[in-house]
Structure formats: C-alpha cells, structure tokens
Amino acid sequence: MDLAALLLPALIPSWSSVVLLGTFFAYLAAAGSILPGKVVPGAALPDGSRLRYRCNGLVSLLLLVALLGLGAWMDFLRPTIIAERGLELLWTTFTFSTLVTLVLYAAGCNSTSDSSSLKPHLSGNLIHDLWFGIQLNPQFIGIDLKFFFVRAGMMGWLLINLSVLARSVQDGNLSLSMILYQLFCVLYILDYFVYEEYMTSTWDIIAERLGFMLVFGDVVWIPFTFSIQGWWLLRNNVELTTTAAIANCFVFLIGYMVFRGANKQKHVFKRSPKALIWGQPPKVVGGKLLASGYWGIARHCNYLGDLLLALSFSLPCGLSSPVPYFYPIYLLILLIWRERRDEARCAEKYREIWAEYCRLVPWRIFPYLY
Ligand code: NDP
C-alpha cells in the first residue's frame, strides 16, 4: 500500500510536461492545417483511392523555431527547459503514445468503413493488433495521424538537440564534438522537411498500419534515442583532432549523397519512369523496377546512406564509450529487419520481375558484403 502510494505519483506525468507536450501538438495541428505547402497525392491504395498530404513541415518548423527563439529572447521561456526536464518529458510522451495506441485500437474496432484507409484488420491476437495497429491511415479532426506523428518526432528531435545545445552553452562547455553533432543533425532534419513529400512514398506511409510500434517509434523513440549523443556530450568531454573532424565530415557527406541520391532517384523514377539517371536513360526491369543509379549498386542503397549518416552523428563522441553508438547500432538492426520485410513484400508483389532484379543487383545493402 505504502509502495503504491509512493510509486503512483511518480507514474503520473507532471503538469508542466503535459502542458509542454500539449502545446507542441496543438501548434503542429494548427500549423499543419493552416500554413501553405505543396499538396502531394499519396500512393494509390488497394481500393484505388489516394490520400493527399500537405507538405508544409519546413515552414511549420521554421516558424516554430522562430517563435521559440522570440519567446526565449523575451524571457517567456528558458531554451534549456527540455534539457532540464528530459526524463519527465520522456515519461509523458511514453504515456501519451500508450494512450493513443489504446484509443486507435478502440476507434479501429468500432470502424464500419470499408475503405483501405480505415477498414479495421483484426488478426485476433490482441498484442499483435496493438503493436502493429489495425487501420492503415486513421485520422483525427481531418489530420492524417501517421504523417502527423512522424513530423512531430523529427521536430521533437531538433527541439531536444537545440535545448541540449543551449544547456551546453550555458554550462560553458561547448565543444567541437557538440558543434559537429548538432550541425549534422540539423542538416539531416532540415533535409527531411525540404524533401518531406518523399516521405509519402515510404514503406511506413504506404504499407504500415498505425499502432504502438509507429506511434511510440515516432514520438518517443526518434526524439529521445536519436539525441543520446547530445545528452552524452553534455556530461563527457571529447578531444577531437582536426583529422578526425575532417574524416567525420566526409562520412557525413558521403552518407548524405547516397541517402538523398537513392531516395530521390526512386521518387523521380516513380513519377517519370523515363527521367535520366546520372545522365543516362534508366535501366528498368519489367517496366517497374529501377536497376541503375544507386538502385543498380544495391537493392537498398538508401539504407546504406542512412547508416553512414547515423555513424557520422556518433563519431564526434569518439570511441571511449559504446553509449553514443546506440543509434547506428539500432539502425543497423532495424534496417536489416526492414529490408527483409520489404524484400518479402516486393517478391510477392513483383514476382518474376523481382527475381530478375535480384539477379541483376545481387547486393541487398552493402555492395560485396551483404
Ligand atoms: P524504401 O524507400 O526503400 O521503399 C521501399 C519500396 O520502394 C518497396 O516496397 C517498393 O515499393 C519500392 N522499390 C524497391 N526497390 C525498387 C526499385 N528498384 N525500383 C523502384 N521501386 C522500388 O524504404 P523505406 O520506406 O523503408 O525507407 C525510406 C528511407 O527512410 C530510407 O532512406 C531509410 O533509410 C529511411 N528510414 C530511416 C529510419 C530511421 O529510423 N532513421 C527508419 C526507417 C526508414 P513499391 O511497391 O512502391 O514499388
């Protein structure tokens, strides 16, 4: 009884973190609905319908950062507030993602819709259905929740990083390592929003249902674990040599080139199958699959680029501890698992065309290795 009385208050999210999170989500919902942005049709769903995504993430993010900067300048808020309340916010977002999962499950079970987006897919296994979700594209007040949560996660990651940076400046221990980590992440996150429309053709958006895996992954996992390097650098000093810093920049640049180049080539190919790839007409298998450019080097070259980028976010922390390498290690496991699932899906969808593509491009992610 006493233990319960002791634990219960600790399990209830603090009011301040609920207000912070609620304000963030309310801002995102309002900005996403009001601000201008290119409206992009999503992939055709099995029933022939297409969702439309308003890609105004970049303008929403820039406005948010400007508003927060103004708030800090006018002494309305402390830029270090997230860095000070990290654990509280982590617990609150985790609680939120659990509640959202339950609501999504209940709403999905009650759905009578027959559309591809809202039709409930119940497997009969409660854990499976909560984890993977039962509806493809659930909505709330006209907002596509899957697109909304991934946007929230990427912006949340940047906000955490900026707060950690402010804390580091406040503590007087801003280092070259912190600057490099922050620079690489800000470029990656801004790039994500510049090319937000490419997200509409990714596996998560077109094929995955919305359950705990995606909600938790987007709003908790992305912002809180991808920023581990920043938190770690707040407490650990790293002396980075100039050569190491330059090599680190190269890993980032090569990773970026491969990651963005591969995703762009596929996106362009899907919309204009005759568009030139590296100045040459594309090599196409069965009229459907691109087999030149990055997609002729490995069947998931985009994953290779992402892995190099992830490594570049950790290298500024040196090699003294495995903790800052959490993200690249996790990503390696995730992308190998994901690549297997995606290959199984493609093999079923494209059949002999996929087999021919695999013959032409034998490497999955790492040329000559895997
Ligand atoms: P992809 O963007 O690679 O999409 C896979 C789909 O692309 C396939 O299902 C197939 O869909 C199509 N496709 C596959 N090969 C070809 C080809 N040769 N020609 C034409 N179409 C092809 O996968 P993801 O959505 O998983 O990843 C997108 C990006 O997001 C990647 O860069 C990945 O690294 C990144 N990512 C990052 C994560 C992180 O935590 N940092 C997590 C997950 C992804 P179709 O049926 O339409 O043909």
Side-chain angles (χ1 to χ4, degrees), residues 43 188 199 201-204 206 221-222 226 259 263 266 269-270 288-291 295 299-300 302-307 327 330-331 334-335 338 342 345-346 349-350 354 357:
Y188 182 77
M199 188 63 201
S201 60
T202 58
W203 157 272
D204 278 352
I206 59 181
W221 192 261
I222 291 181
F226 291 14
F259 166 78
N263 284 322
K266 179 171 68 110
F269 171 75
K270 293 277 182 196
K288 300 245 168 74
L289 295 169
L290 177 62
W295 298 86
R299 299 201 293 275
H300 267 101
N302 51 350
Y303 289 1
L304 173 64
D306 217 355
L307 287 165
Y327 176 47
Y330 141 79
L331 195 67
L334 173 93
L335 291 182
R338 199 178 168 96
D342 190 45
R345 175 181 176 271
C346 290
K349 178 173 174 185
Y350 293 112
W354 187 258
Y357 178 48

Side-chain angles (χ1 to χ4, degrees), residues 99-141:
L99 292 176
V100 168
T101 304
L102 296 174
V103 172
L104 282 172
Y105 179 76
C109 286
N110 285 322
S111 169
T112 50
S113 171
D114 241 2
S115 68
S116 301
S117 287
L118 300 177
K119 187 177 172 181
H121 296 265
L122 285 154
S123 70
N125 178 334
L126 181 67
I127 305 290
H128 176 279
D129 291 346
L130 285 171
W131 177 262
F132 285 107
I134 56 177
Q135 286 178 303
L136 188 61
N137 300 303
Q139 309 231 329
F140 177 65
I141 52 168

Side-chain angles (χ1 to χ4, degrees), residues 323-334:
V323 174
Y325 288 83
F326 179 84
Y327 176 47
I329 293 169
Y330 141 79
L331 195 67
L332 179 68
I333 297 167
L334 173 93

Side-chain angles (χ1 to χ4, degrees), residues 86-102:
L87 277 181
E88 259 176 64
L89 282 162
L90 172 63
W91 179 244
T92 307
T93 20
F94 174 76
T95 311
F96 171 80
S97 65
T98 310
L99 292 176
V100 168
T101 304
L102 296 174

Side-chain angles (χ1 to χ4, degrees), residues 20 78-87 89 156 159-160 163 231:
L20 275 178
R78 288 190 312 282
T80 51
I81 190 156
I82 303 177
E84 286 156 14
R85 295 177 180 272
L87 277 181
L89 282 162
L159 296 186
I160 290 179
S163 190
W231 297 103

Side-chain angles (χ1 to χ4, degrees), residues 223-240:
F224 288 97
T225 68
F226 291 14
S227 57
I228 285 177
Q229 299 91 316
W231 297 103
W232 189 86
L233 283 171
L234 272 184
R235 281 170 191 74
N236 296 274
N237 210 7
V238 180
E239 294 294 330
L240 212 59

